[in-house]
Amino acid sequence: MITILLSLGTAFSYALQDYLMMPVARVASVVAGVLWIRVVAVFALLVTVAFVGGLPSGGEEWRAAGFAALGGVFEVAAFMAWLTALSRGQLSVVSPLGSLSSPLTVLFVLMIGQSVAAVVWVGLPLAVLGSALTSLEPAADGSRSRSAAAGAGWAILAAAIFGVITILFGQASALPAVSVALFAGLSTLAVTVPMAIVLRAWRLPRRFHRRVGACGVLDAGALITFAAATAIGPLSVVGILVAQTGTMAVLLGMVLLGERPSRPQMAGIVLTLAAVTLLGAVA
């Protein structure tokens, strides 16, 4: 149950960040967006570690820190691919493709020699289909947007990289979750700061400062919950549930904006709930 709550909490944070970053990604540099989100996130994580502790103290923990840092480097690539997808494509097309990180994570789990429970093979297609359906939105003419569109390739690339990150965070479980999040955040800055300097892409319009700051705080929380979920496992369940950002986005719209989901979206919510119930038997 704890794995489910942590994984779905991570998915909710990502969905909220997607909502907040959509206008930023269409106007400002993707590099600048990633940079300032992580600056805020790392500051929040440094403050947290200063209060609760958790820095590496032995060989095994430093090895785990290395995996966490590598995960942060991969996350730069994933985040930039995802923001590029958001800036070029429609959310109703991009978000379902992001759910492909579920089967890719399960594939990677098998590749590293871990077993996958039989119930996961039942919950996996339900979760992928549920996430895809909840992300569908009516097109302007009333028809459903189901075809490939601009940004699709970037979304698929981001999904594959997110699957790798799940494995890397799982290998860093010797460290407390907040420390895993911190090392991932620091390695992200080590990559994005030089990139921003070379590309001169560190400026954000003033109207987006608060929005990006909020995303940074959400990102710090998501890193911690994600790291905690991968430490508890199983990784196959974590990968499937963290990919439910489409479902979370629809639920967010229902609760905060009073939106009424379409029939395909309601079907997607039901399928996702069924998948979560099944995966609860494993987690």
Side-chain angles (χ1 to χ4, degrees):
M1 179 58 71
I2 295 178
T3 297
I4 290 178
L5 293 176
L6 290 170
S7 300
L8 292 179
T10 305
F12 178 81
S13 177
Y14 286 153
L16 190 52
Q17 287 184 65
D18 285 350
Y19 171 77
L20 292 173
M21 286 301 296
M22 279 290 288
V24 181
R26 294 186 184 278
V27 174
S29 165
V30 172
V31 175
V34 173
L35 171 65
W36 291 111
I37 286 174
R38 271 302 152 88
V39 167
V40 175
V42 167
F43 177 78
L45 290 168
L46 284 171
V47 172
T48 303
V49 170
F51 278 99
V52 304
L55 292 177
S57 60
E60 183 180 1
E61 291 189 350
W62 278 110
R63 178 175 175 272
F67 279 113
L70 187 58
V73 173
F74 272 85
E75 195 173 13
V76 175
F79 205 9
M80 291 184 64
W82 186 247
L83 287 180
T84 302
L86 290 175
S87 67
R88 296 187 179 185
Q90 296 182 352
L91 186 62
S92 59
V93 176
V94 170
S95 191
L97 292 174
S99 66
L100 291 176
S101 63
S102 296
L104 291 171
T105 300
V106 173
L107 174 62
F108 297 150
V109 167
L110 292 172
M111 290 174 64
I112 64 174
Q114 293 189 11
S115 60
V116 176
V119 70
V120 172
W121 296 109
V122 180
L124 175 61
L126 293 177
V128 173
L129 182 58
S131 179
L133 286 174
T134 53
S135 301
L136 288 175
E137 296 178 356
D141 59 357
S143 62
R144 300 295 175 188
S145 178
R146 293 190 176 91
S147 59
W154 289 104
I156 295 171
L157 176 62
I161 300 174
F162 275 126
V164 175
I165 295 170
T166 302
I167 304 300
L168 291 173
F169 271 40
Q171 298 299 311
S173 59
L175 277 178
V178 66
S179 299
V180 174
L182 176 61
F183 278 97
L186 288 172
S187 67
T188 299
L189 288 183
V191 175
T192 54
V193 169
M195 190 181 302
I197 293 174
V198 170
L199 298 176
R200 296 183 179 181
W202 58 80
R203 293 195 180 109
L204 282 174
R206 184 178 296 273
R207 66 183 184 276
F208 293 138
H209 286 184
R210 290 185 180 180
R211 185 180 291 262
V212 171
C215 286
V217 175
L218 286 169
D219 189 49
L223 281 171
I224 294 174
T225 56
F226 185 32
T230 57
I232 299 171
L235 294 179
S236 56
V237 173
V238 175
I240 293 171
L241 295 182
V242 169
Q244 300 308 305
T245 53
T247 303
M248 290 297 170
V250 172
L251 293 176
L252 189 65
M254 291 172 61
V255 174
L256 298 183
L257 304 177
E259 295 178 347
R260 296 181 62 183
S262 63
R263 289 183 180 179
Q265 289 174 325
M266 285 302 300
I269 292 173
V270 172
L271 288 173
T272 299
L273 291 175
V276 170
T277 303
L278 284 171
L279 295 174
V282 181

